[in-house]
Amino acid sequence: MLKIALVATALAGLVSAAPVSAAPLRWSACPGTPRLQCSTVPVPLDYRHPDGRKIDVAVSRLPAAKPEKRRGVLLMNPGGPGVAGLRAPVAQPFPQAVRDSYDIVGFDPRGIGASAGLTCNLTDEQRAVAANPPYPHNPADVAKSAELAKQIAKQCITSDTADLLPFITTANTARDMDRIREALGVPKVSYYGESYGTYLGAVYTTLFPERSDRVVLDSSLPPEGYDVEALRAQGLGFQLRFPDFAKYAAEKDQQYHLGSTPAAVTAKYYELADRLERKPESGFDGTAFRGFTSGELRNDASFKELATYWHLLDTHQPLPGAAAAKDASDRGTFPVGYLGVICGDSRWPTSVRTYQRNVETDGVRYPMYGAFAANIRACAYWPAPAEPKVRITGGGPADVLMVQNLRDPATPLPGALRTRWAFGGRARMVTADQGGHVAYGAGANACLNDAATAYLVDGKFPARDRFCPAERS
């Protein structure tokens, strides 16, 4: 398998390195975001046949705020997978020094958003559970989720975009990135990616080490990417991160009344999840409650909202805000793009019994979220990946800076460390004693933030890995 992966990596680079003529991009104002310029880049659907069928990748550009200080292009991806990236250049809280120094370029990856979007013809009910099936309490629940997963997979692989599915992979998206680089007319691109975007960046700089400039990977997946084990790891991540919120809520017990100690707040989690499982309220059942909590744990700034929602649910009060508008079609939306990438990249277990064992095991190891993350998805019924994975290695210049929180609920530290080891001398890692998913700019740790900014702006690459102690904002 190792030889196959190495050969595939070499071939992937050779195929995409073939000379092509890129027409200059024609930019126009992005709809609804006039600060951004939008365009499209035609790319091969199948890079084994670069002169064959083309698809369009939607790209955006936020020009450098100070053209006289511009040093290049910073391509970025906000993660997911399945998340559109056109608005990412204006949504990302980069410091002004970074905005002064780069044209920041975002894009919708193939299959997602405005870039040749996939469809699975999902109903509204299926959209709610395609990426996150109902919480499983026992083997029967897993078997029921398996039937749902099988139906969703069938719809995806028989839809009118089924011919795209074999080519919706991280490796092909990385090849698209190099076509974007070429269309921009630059010999190298810098890159910032967070969450799944770290794996995309790792694959890009492995395939094209000579074309990447300054690479920052924020909150890294393992070197295998978003596979079944990376998903299961979120059970550990939740368990390690939750105490930060429990401490916050306990300190504000007079305001939220969720418990005066972290242990009491933890007990309230189980109480609310069980109650909502039996009798949903305000659009929340047990699954939605666990998923919402997991999402809000990703940033300290969300703790206030999370505690407020818990309090309202606990006291049977209506929740704030109106229901979000639903898309008329699932084409290019998150759940479809998410499944397209994670199922297309990796071979997932096909036995329902395997998922039943995983749910039982992780429900004991990580009782707060483990069973939820271990449940079966449509990937169990997906066609096998069309090509071997790209093997992340240390071949190339030392230009990869990884930044990571100690208590990351979505991409826990153990997986990020394995990616760090895979890169070897190419990478340095700056780890901060803080919680949350996405470290750069989202957290208060000036030590980590300054290290990332210094690298992007001034090229100051750390001499060695670094640990940043906790700081208080």
Side-chain angles (χ1 to χ4, degrees):
M1 286 299 296
L2 177 57
K3 286 185 178 180
I4 294 175
L6 289 172
V7 170
T9 298
L11 288 175
L14 288 172
V15 167
S16 204
V20 295
S21 56
L25 292 177
R26 295 183 178 181
W27 298 100
S28 60
C30 295
T33 314
R35 293 172 58 204
L36 275 178
Q37 302 168 346
C38 278
S39 189
T40 58
V41 175
V43 300
L45 173 64
D46 182 352
Y47 277 89
R48 295 170 299 182
H49 305 287
D51 295 324
R53 178 182 172 186
K54 300 294 193 294
I55 59 174
D56 284 338
V57 171
V59 298
S60 64
R61 178 177 68 176
L62 183 66
K66 294 187 177 180
E68 70 276 11
K69 291 187 175 182
R70 179 187 179 278
R71 68 164 310 274
V73 170
L74 179 64
L75 191 60
M76 64 173 299
N77 179 273
V83 175
L86 279 185
R87 291 197 71 258
V90 294
Q92 183 66 30
F94 287 125
Q96 191 59 46
V98 173
R99 295 190 176 280
D100 290 345
S101 302
Y102 292 94
D103 291 343
I104 303 175
V105 174
F107 66 103
D108 285 354
R110 57 170 58 202
I112 297 161
S115 295
L118 293 173
T119 180
C120 292
N121 299 314
L122 299 178
T123 65
D124 289 343
E125 182 180 2
Q126 287 174 328
R127 283 193 230 185
V129 295
N132 293 303
Y135 185 88
H137 296 276
N138 51 51
D141 286 347
V142 178
K144 187 176 180 180
S145 290
E147 291 304 312
L148 172 65
K150 184 184 297 185
Q151 178 59 38
I152 290 173
K154 180 180 178 181
Q155 291 175 207
C156 293
I157 63 181
T158 58
S159 76
D160 62 6
T161 57
D163 58 331
L164 300 180
L165 287 179
F167 311 105
I168 304 299
T169 65
T170 297
N172 279 329
T173 300
R175 296 167 186 134
D176 293 345
M177 287 168 54
D178 204 56
R179 292 299 177 96
I180 293 172
R181 174 202 61 78
E182 186 178 56
L184 291 168
V186 294
K188 292 185 177 184
V189 289
S190 293
Y191 178 81
Y192 171 79
E194 53 191 40
S195 193
Y196 161 77
T198 62
Y199 179 56
L200 175 59
V203 169
Y204 178 79
T205 199
T206 297
L207 291 178
F208 306 103
E210 75 285 0
R211 299 176 193 170
S212 58
D213 189 4
R214 298 173 186 175
V215 178
V216 176
L217 307 182
D218 188 338
S219 307
S220 288
L221 281 167
E224 300 82 19
Y226 201 135
D227 61 7
V228 66
E229 293 304 322
L231 180 57
R232 289 180 69 187
Q234 292 182 12
L236 167 65
F238 190 110
Q239 207 80 26
L240 294 175
R241 170 61 164 162
F242 187 81
D244 291 339
F245 171 70
K247 181 175 182 289
Y248 168 89
E251 290 174 348
K252 296 184 178 294
D253 182 49
Q254 293 299 312
Q255 181 177 354
Y256 299 114
H257 309 290
L258 300 174
S260 60
T261 65
V265 175
T266 303
K268 181 62 70 176
Y269 171 81
Y270 291 111
E271 176 190 328
L272 286 171
D274 290 344
R275 194 195 86 199
L276 293 167
E277 197 77 69
R278 293 191 305 270
K279 186 178 180 181
E281 188 173 320
S282 298
F284 275 77
D285 59 10
T287 297
F289 172 75
R290 292 179 178 92
F292 177 73
T293 298
S294 173
E296 297 290 271
L297 288 179
R298 295 187 174 197
N299 194 310
D300 287 358
S302 300
F303 283 2
K304 179 178 179 180
E305 180 178 58
L306 179 58
T308 299
Y309 272 62
W310 275 34
H311 171 69
L312 295 174
L313 288 167
D314 189 40
T315 54
H316 306 280
Q317 298 183 61
L319 300 179
K326 294 180 179 178
D327 294 318
S329 167
D330 72 342
R331 190 178 297 270
T333 58
F334 166 75
V336 182
Y338 173 84
L339 291 176
V341 174
I342 69 170
C343 301
D345 271 357
S346 302
R347 192 67 180 130
W348 292 59
T350 58
S351 166
V352 175
R353 181 59 188 145
T354 296
Y355 293 96
Q356 290 171 328
R357 286 195 298 265
N358 290 348
V359 163
E360 182 178 11
T361 299
D362 291 3
V364 173
R365 289 196 302 176
Y366 314 120
M368 303 193 81
Y369 199 72
F372 185 77
N375 202 5
I376 192 169
R377 267 75 175 172
C379 300
Y381 303 99
W382 215 260
E387 64 175 310
K389 284 188 178 182
V390 174
R391 180 170 174 260
I392 308 305
T393 72
D399 59 359
V400 179
L401 178 64
M402 301 174 62
V403 292
Q404 185 79 24
N405 291 333
L406 278 185
R407 299 177 301 284
D408 187 321
T411 54
L413 181 61
L417 287 173
R418 291 203 299 110
T419 295
R420 168 68 187 89
W421 295 331
F423 271 125
R426 285 203 69 183
R428 304 290 186 271
M429 176 180 273
V430 178
T431 309
D433 183 2
Q434 64 184 1
H437 183 53
V438 181
Y440 181 41
N445 195 283
C447 165
L448 181 146
N449 291 336
D450 291 349
T453 300
Y455 179 49
L456 286 174
V457 175
D458 299 316
K460 294 181 179 178
F461 194 61
R464 60 186 64 84
D465 290 355
R466 182 177 181 183
F467 176 72
C468 293
E471 297 178 5
R472 295 290 176 257
S473 58

